């Protein structure tokens, strides 16, 4: 059997012609294609408060920036103001993720505190979060690992308690880069009162080449983000003369252009279809990989409907496991390296037994739209032969 990759770019054949039209149109910046794509995302997600950006990393940077600095117009999305006024605020976050989740905290000079993970789900441990949350907590950043959602209701209860105890409700920023198509409690991520950041990078469910989207809980914050992604200027109100605009709050250049928007638009339907295949393959593995010596499946709970970007589990002797699958033509990998071991964040190290356990044993196998019935049977057969 030919090599089965862990990731594959899902590109609709339509994209080539659509991008060609943009290239020939004489307008390739942020324009009508971006408006259309943002509108389509809003329709799928079921909220108008969707703001496209150039990447999820840019989106996370923007969301943190907004949480850490008071808006000139006093919008409610300014809860971390005290972090910057010398009172030593902290961002609580998981180290078991892509560096893209955490480096925007570090590069903005904000202090972070690592939260342990639950090895049973590879998501942030709400027990450790409850222990670490305190008067200095300004924001919580979490990732929905492999698309499997964090319990956002339990998290909201925790925030209620923190707010009652400390008088500040921390902002929650959900890194949904693995989770296009995931629902929690039957609703897409981004609709649970937090800020949610999606990635449309090359190998995510939905790709623009590079791109991302930030979903805000209110229209005010979304409007602020639409200005901040383009230097702090309003590009949408008809009749606005751009060069004459006063900028009351300086912003970034984090917008998505029409080339990327056309790619995303062409891939939207494909991504929705592909998520179903990812899910179906994951359900197959959930059944077929039960009770195998040295293999532990991850948590599955009612109402947590994962988009299964990859299929993760925990195995004994992981290097042997990966080598054995390699012989069978199957790519397997831990996907991300724990972030807390990097020297640039050495100052924040603390004991994280859940991360130790997860980091030593986690592995992901191919589950995506390119995995057909013959392939998934082959994967199960190779694993069942042992390693
Ligand atoms: C891919 C990824 C990102 C970064 O997304 P970009 O759009 O490439 O910036 C962030 N977080 C996680 C967990 C990712 O997998």
């Amino acid at each position: 059997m030919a090599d089965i990759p862990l990731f594959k770019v899902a590109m609709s054949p339509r994209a080539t012609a659509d991008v060609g039209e943009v290239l020939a149109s004489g307008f390739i910046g942020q324009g009508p294609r971006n408006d259309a794509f943002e509108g389509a995302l809003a329709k799928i997600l079921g909220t108008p408060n969707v703001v496209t950006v150039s990447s999820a990393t840019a989106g996370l940077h923007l969301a943190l920036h907004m949480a850490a600095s008071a808006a000139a117009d006093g919008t409610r999305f300014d809860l971390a103001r005290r972090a910057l006024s010398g009172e030593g605020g902290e961002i609580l976050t998981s180290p078991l993720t892509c560096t893209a989740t955490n480096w925007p905290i570090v590069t903005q000079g904000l202090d972070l505190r690592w939260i342990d993970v639950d090895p049973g789900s590879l998501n942030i441990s709400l027990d450790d979060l409850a222990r670490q949350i305190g008067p200095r907590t300004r924001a919580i950043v979490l990732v929905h690992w492999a698309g499997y959602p964090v319990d956002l209701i339990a998290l909201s209860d925790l925030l209620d308690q923190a707010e009652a105890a400390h008088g500040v409700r921390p902002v929650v920023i959900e890194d949904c880069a693995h989770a296009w198509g995931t629902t929690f409690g039957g609703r897409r991520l981004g609709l649970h009162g937090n800020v949610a950041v999606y990635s449309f990078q090359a190998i995510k469910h939905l790709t623009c080449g590079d791109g991302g989207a930030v979903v805000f809980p209110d229209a005010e914050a979304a409007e602020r983000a639409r200005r901040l992604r383009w230097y702090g200027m309003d590009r949408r109100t008809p009749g606005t003369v751009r060069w004459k605009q006063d900028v009351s709050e300086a912003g970034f250049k984090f917008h998505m252009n029409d080339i990327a928007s056309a790619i995303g638009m062409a891939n939207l339907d494909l991504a929705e279809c592909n998520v179903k295949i990812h899910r179906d393959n994951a359900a197959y593995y959930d059944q077929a990989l039960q009770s195998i010596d040295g293999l532990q499946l991850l948590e599955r709970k009612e109402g947590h409907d994962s988009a299964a970007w990859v299929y993760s589990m925990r195995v004994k002797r992981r290097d042997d496991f990966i080598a054995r699958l390699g012989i069978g033509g199957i790519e397997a990998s831990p996907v991300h390296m724990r972030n807390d071991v990097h020297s640039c964040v050495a100052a924040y190290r603390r004991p994280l037994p859940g991360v130790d356990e997860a980091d030593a044993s986690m592995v992901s196998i191919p589950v995506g739209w390119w995995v057909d019935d013959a392939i998934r049977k082959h994967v199960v057969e190779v694993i069942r032969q042992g390693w």
Side-chain angles (χ1 to χ4, degrees), residues 55-57 97-98 100-101 143 175 177-178 199 201 204 210-211 309 336:
S55 69
T57 309
T97 180
C98 179
T101 313
V143 60
D175 181 338
H178 299 175
S199 169
Q201 185 258 347
K204 303 295 162 65
D210 262 316
W309 178 54
H336 297 307

Side-chain angles (χ1 to χ4, degrees), residues 13-215:
R14 257 186 57 196
T16 308
D18 289 0
V19 167
E21 254 179 52
V22 178
L23 296 182
S25 74
F27 189 95
I28 58 174
Q30 182 198 340
R33 301 275 182 164
N34 182 251
D35 289 342
F37 183 51
E38 205 165 84
L41 293 173
K43 205 165 157 206
I44 288 180
L45 293 173
T47 167
N49 304 324
V50 182
V51 180
T52 55
V53 284
S54 52
S55 69
T57 309
L60 289 158
H61 193 102
L62 180 62
L64 276 163
H65 171 83
M66 289 172 67
S69 55
D73 57 3
T75 54
R76 54 170 274 221
F77 199 66
D78 63 354
L79 295 168
R81 190 186 334 211
R82 282 156 59 187
L84 293 190
S85 61
E87 289 180 51
E90 278 180 340
I91 316 291
L92 275 42
T93 183
S94 165
L96 204 67
T97 180
C98 179
T99 49
T101 313
N102 288 312
W103 283 186
I105 304 173
V106 179
T107 55
Q108 290 185 77
L110 300 168
D111 274 328
L112 64 76
R113 177 185 290 261
W114 298 121
I115 301 301
D116 208 359
V117 303
D118 174 357
S121 65
L122 306 181
N123 279 337
I124 199 165
S125 158
L126 295 182
D127 291 337
D128 193 43
L129 187 65
R131 284 190 293 269
Q132 302 303 326
I133 212 165
R136 297 174 62 198
T137 306
R138 294 292 170 269
I140 294 159
V141 178
L142 58 86
V143 60
H144 302 287
W145 181 276
Y148 184 80
V150 171
D151 188 334
L152 296 171
I153 291 176
L155 175 64
S156 175
D157 291 346
L158 243 172
L159 294 178
D160 290 345
Q161 290 163 24
E163 188 174 6
H166 310 297
V168 182
R169 190 178 185 82
V171 173
V172 174
I173 299 170
E174 302 172 38
D175 181 338
C176 304
H178 299 175
W180 179 257
T182 287
T183 60
F184 175 74
R187 308 173 77 209
R188 298 286 280 241
L189 297 178
L191 304 178
H192 300 85
N194 306 318
V195 185
V197 183
Y198 284 102
S199 169
F200 308 135
Q201 185 258 347
I203 56 168
K204 303 295 162 65
H205 289 99
L206 170 60
T207 185
C208 291
D210 262 316
V214 190
V215 190

Side-chain angles (χ1 to χ4, degrees), residues 149 183-187 301-305:
T183 60
F184 175 74
R187 308 173 77 209
K301 275 189 183 161
E302 189 73 29
H304 296 235
D305 199 1

Side-chain angles (χ1 to χ4, degrees), residues 119-320:
S121 65
L122 306 181
N123 279 337
I124 199 165
S125 158
L126 295 182
D127 291 337
D128 193 43
L129 187 65
R131 284 190 293 269
Q132 302 303 326
I133 212 165
R136 297 174 62 198
T137 306
R138 294 292 170 269
I140 294 159
V141 178
L142 58 86
V143 60
H144 302 287
W145 181 276
Y148 184 80
V150 171
D151 188 334
L152 296 171
I153 291 176
L155 175 64
S156 175
D157 291 346
L158 243 172
L159 294 178
D160 290 345
Q161 290 163 24
E163 188 174 6
H166 310 297
V168 182
R169 190 178 185 82
V171 173
V172 174
I173 299 170
E174 302 172 38
D175 181 338
C176 304
H178 299 175
W180 179 257
T182 287
T183 60
F184 175 74
R187 308 173 77 209
R188 298 286 280 241
L189 297 178
L191 304 178
H192 300 85
N194 306 318
V195 185
V197 183
Y198 284 102
S199 169
F200 308 135
Q201 185 258 347
I203 56 168
K204 303 295 162 65
H205 289 99
L206 170 60
T207 185
C208 291
D210 262 316
V214 190
V215 190
F216 291 93
D218 61 278
E220 268 178 320
E223 271 316 307
R224 185 182 170 205
R226 287 196 182 98
R227 290 191 303 274
L228 291 181
R229 75 177 166 189
W230 185 266
Y231 302 120
M233 289 182 190
D234 179 1
R235 285 171 64 85
R236 308 230 300 185
T237 309
T240 314
V241 183
R242 205 175 304 147
W243 62 268
K244 280 188 180 171
Q245 259 182 60
D246 174 56
V247 173
S248 60
E249 187 182 12
F252 305 92
K253 187 167 186 273
F254 283 170
H255 71 291
M256 176 185 284
N257 65 43
D258 268 19
I259 302 171
S261 302
I263 299 172
M265 195 72 168
N267 285 330
L268 256 184
D269 290 346
L270 179 69
E272 295 300 290
C273 290
N274 284 347
V275 166
K276 293 195 185 101
I277 307 175
H278 283 242
R279 280 212 174 99
D280 183 62
N281 284 333
Y284 177 87
Y285 287 146
D286 282 346
Q287 290 303 315
L289 295 176
Q290 280 177 23
S291 352
I292 292 177
D293 234 18
L295 188 154
Q296 190 132 21
L297 297 178
L298 296 184
E299 174 190 300
R300 298 286 180 255
K301 275 189 183 161
E302 189 73 29
H304 296 235
D305 199 1
S306 174
W309 178 54
V310 289
Y311 188 89
S312 304
M313 54 204 170
R314 289 192 297 130
V315 295
K316 289 199 173 127
R317 291 173 285 102
R318 181 182 53 206
D319 290 351
D320 294 345

